[in-house]
Amino acid sequence: QYGGKEVLDRAIPAVLERSSAAREVLFDVKEAEVLVQEKTSSKLLCRYPYPTISCVGRCVASSNLFAFCVAISPESPDGSTFDCLVFASSSEQECEEIIKRIAAGFKHTEWFV
């Protein structure tokens, strides 16, 4: 139920253990949101506005894995619950670039919220 970056060390391995078959996706970091599309068809799989993303970070064990947590029930009286989404990039440099762009998106959306 907590979506801070401290959970990523436990959440990433947990997601990888439970995960179903991996899918190739296109990851598009926009000014106000993150879009994930199916690579083969470009079908939009999910859209996450920055205010719903609680944290982003890398996996310590593998330099090309990164994840972010998203609030899935922010209006719940019991408090928000979060999903952790894990992605593998093609390189450590690409991974760092994506994380930096998402972090910059947090700052950009301060003006939208």
Side-chain angles (χ1 to χ4, degrees):
Q1 286 193 348
Y2 179 67
K5 66 180 181 178
E6 301 81 19
V7 302
L8 293 178
D9 286 339
R10 293 184 320 273
I12 293 172
V15 169
L16 293 174
E17 282 177 21
R18 286 188 248 147
S19 72
S20 55
R23 296 206 268 189
E24 283 197 58
V25 297
L26 299 172
F27 197 85
D28 194 1
V29 182
K30 300 278 192 191
E31 186 176 15
E33 63 189 352
V34 173
L35 304 176
V36 180
Q37 296 173 295
E38 193 172 68
K39 187 173 182 177
T40 54
S41 69
S42 297
K43 175 185 169 195
L44 183 64
L45 299 173
C46 41
R47 166 184 274 137
Y48 298 106
Y50 288 114
T52 65
I53 300 173
S54 63
C55 69
V56 63
R58 254 180 37 185
C59 181
V60 177
S62 180
S63 59
N64 70 327
L65 289 179
F66 68 97
F68 60 89
C69 293
V70 292
I72 56 169
S73 60
E75 64 286 330
S76 170
D78 298 330
S80 292
T81 55
F82 298 88
D83 277 345
C84 179
L85 298 118
V86 180
F87 300 90
S89 60
S90 59
S91 69
E92 182 177 353
Q93 289 173 303
E94 183 181 61
C95 183
E96 287 183 28
E97 179 64 27
I98 291 169
I99 291 169
K100 286 178 185 175
R101 289 187 62 200
I102 292 173
F106 289 146
K107 289 197 179 283
H108 290 162
T109 55
E110 287 176 354
W111 301 106
F112 293 114
V113 178

